[in-house]
Amino acid sequence: MNLKITPTPLSGRLTVPASKSMSHRAAIAAALAEGESTICNLSLSEDIEATLAAVRQLGASYTLPHKGQAVVQGGGQREGCPTFDCGESGSTLRFLIPVALALCGGASFTGRGRLMERPLVPYFELFKEKNIQYQLKGGVLAVKGRLASGVYALSGAVSSQFITGLLFALPLCKGDSEIRITDRLSSRGYVDMTLQALSDFGVHVEERDSSFFIPGGQRYHPRQMLVEGDYSQAAFFGAANFIGSSVELLGLNPNSLQGDRAFEGILGRFKAPGTVCVDADGIPDLVPALAAAAAFRAGEETRFENAGRLRIKESDRIASTAAMLRALGAKAEEGPDGLTVKGEASLPGNIVPVDCQNDHRIAMAAAAASVGCREKATLCGAECVKKSYPQFWEDFKDLGGIAEEC
């Protein structure tokens, strides 16, 4: 789907969709609990649908009795070696690999797009050490072996998702375990969200310096929970507000553990003159939205640093963010692990059509930037927002945005 956006400021009130990160965690924890859990304010997207489909492979079942509500019956019978279709969801894939090994002794995983090309080496290194067999061939990962308790040493620099996967799985093992972080822990906020989800479902983890101690033989307990709004999605409308819109964002928890809460403070820094350096190590998902806002810091430079992990997302997100901005007439230069944006008062608009590169965050960042352009902007492949925010374009139009198929 190609869209032509006519520049106009957005205004009104928006209830932000539920946190995708917490929705993944809630669905998996509910599937591991014996009994019925109710998840309220669940926003369905392609990624969340992939996780819900996957929990059925773990022996759980679910119904969607009302919009925004999922009732999960966990603790069902698990048979054989299940196959998980993870779509394009890195969270689904990385969270469930250790869980499947702990519960089923093996499984197969597949997906679409670039998913099976994204890094899995931290797991593979652990599998060699723990005598777990694995093979990645033809876009299918097959793993075989029983995850056992013990010490798991791994890097926290590639992705916190590997740590989250082990945090979900190791409490199910008989003995005690420890996860030792061998370097730095990037995206700390996501691990905090995992620890919160585990605690909510009755699982105890003790943090010790650079490690996590996990008592074995634990059980997940069913519960009812409300998923808070997603700061990652809110950031796109925050960027639009910086550019000249006036959208009131509702449903956000001011005390949230989401690391992407940081967008509010960073946009505040953007209002001051002078070069601003943004350390993206803990907030990689914010870079496209913040870069869109940075393009309108008239006469000022913004540098995004420690963003190398963006090259292994749905697209090479350093390159695709820079290309998106340049398509709208902005000045953006990419480096090996970062991006520099030189702001202007406004952007011309459709220099060339924006290729969304099948990346939901590029499409939404382009939409935010388009409200401050002088001419119309064309977005190619704008339907990719379905991955995380299927109703984005409806919300965009409800706030006064003008987006027409072309």
Side-chain angles (χ1 to χ4, degrees), residues 241-265:
N241 284 345
F242 180 86
I243 295 167
S245 296
S246 55
V247 179
E248 182 183 359
L249 300 172
L250 308 176
L252 296 171
N253 174 10
N255 299 312
S256 174
L257 295 174
Q258 296 177 56
D260 287 347
R261 280 178 59 197
F263 87 81
E264 296 173 322

Side-chain angles (χ1 to χ4, degrees), residues 118-365:
R118 294 170 68 177
L120 291 169
V121 170
Y123 278 156
F124 295 163
E125 291 176 346
L126 289 176
F127 293 166
K128 293 174 184 176
E129 179 183 329
K130 303 294 183 180
N131 296 317
I132 293 173
Q133 300 175 37
Y134 70 91
Q135 181 182 55
L136 178 57
K137 185 177 181 180
V140 178
L141 172 66
V143 294
K144 185 176 181 181
R146 186 70 62 173
L147 191 76
S149 57
V151 176
Y152 288 77
L154 77 165
S155 167
V158 179
S159 173
S160 64
Q161 292 174 347
F162 299 107
I163 298 164
T164 286
L166 290 170
L167 285 170
F168 271 122
L170 290 173
L172 303 170
C173 299
K174 291 183 179 180
D176 298 343
S177 298
E178 183 181 4
I179 301 173
R180 293 178 182 171
I181 310 303
T182 58
D183 43 24
R184 72 182 193 280
L185 177 53
S186 298
S187 300
R188 169 70 212 215
Y190 290 109
V191 174
D192 288 338
M193 293 173 69
T194 302
L195 296 174
Q196 181 63 61
L198 293 173
S199 177
D200 288 344
F201 283 85
V203 173
H204 174 69
V205 175
E206 181 182 338
E207 187 169 1
R208 299 175 175 176
D209 295 326
S210 298
S211 68
F212 299 92
F213 176 76
I214 304 112
Q218 297 191 64
R219 297 176 62 184
Y220 286 76
H221 299 279
R223 62 154 297 174
Q224 178 171 316
M225 73 171 297
L226 177 71
V227 182
E228 65 189 36
D230 194 324
Y231 275 91
S232 302
Q233 311 293 28
F236 297 104
F237 295 99
N241 284 345
F242 180 86
I243 295 167
S245 296
S246 55
V247 179
E248 182 183 359
L249 300 172
L250 308 176
L252 296 171
N253 174 10
N255 299 312
S256 174
L257 295 174
Q258 296 177 56
D260 287 347
R261 280 178 59 197
F263 87 81
E264 296 173 322
I266 294 170
L267 289 177
R269 291 169 57 198
F270 282 5
K271 295 176 183 178
T275 298
V276 173
C277 295
V278 177
D279 186 344
D281 184 57
I283 50 169
D285 286 345
L286 290 182
V287 170
L290 292 175
F296 292 85
R297 296 185 66 228
E300 306 294 351
E301 183 174 279
T302 308
R303 298 173 186 166
F304 296 89
E305 302 171 338
N306 296 322
R309 287 182 296 139
L310 287 174
R311 294 200 181 276
I312 53 175
K313 297 288 187 176
E314 286 83 345
S315 66
D316 177 340
R317 209 171 268 167
I318 291 177
S320 57
T321 298
M324 177 270 293
L325 292 176
R326 288 194 294 263
L328 297 175
K331 297 176 181 177
E333 298 178 3
E334 61 175 288
D337 69 343
L339 179 70
T340 299
V341 180
K342 297 181 179 179
E344 301 182 39
S346 66
L347 300 181
N350 217 13
I351 301 297
V352 295
V354 174
D355 180 358
C356 295
Q357 300 194 38
N358 196 37
D359 192 325
H360 53 131
R361 299 198 187 278
I362 298 302
M364 291 186 281

Side-chain angles (χ1 to χ4, degrees), residues 1-3 353-358 378-383:
M1 176 179 71
N2 298 339
L3 292 179
V354 174
D355 180 358
C356 295
Q357 300 194 38
N358 196 37
T378 301
L379 276 61
C380 300
E383 73 280 359

